[in-house]
Amino acid sequence: MSSTSGSTAPSRAIFWYAAAYVLIFTPHLLATIFPPTAFYYNLDERIVVYSTIDRFFGLPSTCLMWPSTTIQLASLPVYLLDMLIRLGCPRGAAAGLQELATYLSLASRDPRHLVTITRVIVLGISSTAPLFAYNLARRLQVSVWLAISLAVLTAVNSGFLTQSLMATGDAVATSLLFVTLWILCRETQLSERHAALAGLTFAAALASKLTVASAVLLPVLILACNPEFELRRRLRLVFLFSISVGFGFIALVPFVWTDPTRYFKSVFGNLNQLDSHFTYSSFFTLLLQAHGIVIAFALPIAIVGAASVLRRRDSVSHYTLAAATTLLVMIIPVAMHSSTAYPRYLLPMLPVMIILV
């Protein structure tokens, strides 16, 4: 009897996770395929799609500022399948080259079809974020109903919801950051393999959107401040995580070693904004646009709660310390560039706020 009940529990959990994923994915998919307003796409989406087309044909990328190479790698086989469905399977090398040229011509003339395909790929990945938010909360011993509430907050958050419907890597980066934290938040069961795997998932997040880079402090502090391990093991876990991030990023973003000068000039040009200065009004507007009014007002409450916990030395959680420290570090560049930064820069703060809550 015990073995039967034990085997049915994972099956039931898988069923509920699948049902929740379908519930999140389906309405957004319908809105993507059948938009309520006239179709439109912004410059970032077009850049990601054109860069993916360049990689599809083995050409240098048109833009390195928003590479979103994780999205590109996920889109390549789907683009190939789309080409075979729309134009048929070629017979011979010459016919294959002609089909490639035709597909390139169609995509370059009107990229809306590929933008929609890329949006669906992004939606498929980002729809997992609420599920990992729930699992992350449960792994931190939060009640079921509070974990569900945090998952709902993740799904309906204004900034995340908008970006999950766009063919860019912002929501994907945040989703992969959730996966990284979910892997690491396991107390004494954490092993060197988990640290290395978390480094690879964070590298994938970083390859999706560079704005998640400042959030690297969160997994590093979770590993470095874990009181369950001795100092030597903590340093080994941080080293393995860092090495995995470095090698994973180089593997997923080949522009770093194929075109390093152009790539770093693109990154520096994006960071070196003119006329940036701190103003309270612009920073508060940025916070509301990025996270919505509910999470924006929950943020100071969470910080006050974290401060009250930190005052009691006997109940300090290394998760709380890591989240509060990372939150402050991630706010600094936004405050410095609050007049020019985009709201989606604050998207990686979402896992930090959930841990604080």
Side-chain angles (χ1 to χ4, degrees), residues 180-229:
T180 301
L181 299 179
W182 175 75
I183 293 173
L184 294 180
C185 294
R186 54 177 67 243
E187 297 295 342
T188 56
Q189 298 178 355
L190 183 65
S191 65
E192 285 76 3
R193 179 173 57 87
H194 292 132
L197 180 60
L200 294 178
T201 56
F202 187 83
L206 196 60
S208 302
K209 196 66 176 181
L210 285 175
T211 52
V212 80
S214 57
V216 71
L217 189 62
L218 181 57
V220 168
L221 287 178
I222 288 177
L223 291 173
C225 301
N226 194 328
E228 300 294 333
F229 303 136

Side-chain angles (χ1 to χ4, degrees), residues 155-275:
V156 302
N157 169 261
S158 59
F160 184 82
L161 178 61
T162 301
Q163 294 301 321
S164 66
L165 299 174
M166 296 172 58
T168 55
D170 302 88
V172 173
T174 304
S175 302
L176 291 172
L177 179 56
F178 271 121
V179 177
T180 301
L181 299 179
W182 175 75
I183 293 173
L184 294 180
C185 294
R186 54 177 67 243
E187 297 295 342
T188 56
Q189 298 178 355
L190 183 65
S191 65
E192 285 76 3
R193 179 173 57 87
H194 292 132
L197 180 60
L200 294 178
T201 56
F202 187 83
L206 196 60
S208 302
K209 196 66 176 181
L210 285 175
T211 52
V212 80
S214 57
V216 71
L217 189 62
L218 181 57
V220 168
L221 287 178
I222 288 177
L223 291 173
C225 301
N226 194 328
E228 300 294 333
F229 303 136
E230 60 180 3
L231 179 60
R232 182 176 298 179
R233 187 179 183 190
R234 294 186 216 171
L235 294 177
R236 184 166 64 249
L237 292 174
V238 171
F239 176 76
L240 288 174
F241 174 81
S242 304
I243 290 295
S244 296
V245 171
F247 280 101
F249 184 73
I250 292 175
L252 293 173
V253 187
F255 313 126
V256 175
W257 44 273
T258 61
D259 205 351
T261 303
R262 181 172 165 233
Y263 178 75
F264 286 108
K265 283 176 65 178
S266 298
V267 174
F268 179 76
N270 193 33
L271 295 177
N272 188 26
Q273 299 284 350
L274 296 175
D275 299 327

Side-chain angles (χ1 to χ4, degrees), residues 42-85:
N42 59 33
L43 179 63
D44 291 1
E45 291 183 291
R46 187 173 65 179
I47 288 175
V48 171
V49 169
Y50 278 154
S51 297
T52 308
I53 294 174
D54 292 337
R55 299 192 74 174
F56 185 74
F57 290 99
L59 302 173
S61 180
T62 54
C63 179
L64 301 185
M65 187 177 295
W66 300 293
S68 298
T69 51
T70 305
I71 306 301
Q72 294 180 19
L73 293 175
S75 301
L76 286 177
V78 183
Y79 283 13
L80 177 61
L81 179 62
D82 177 65
M83 183 185 74
L84 296 177
I85 293 175

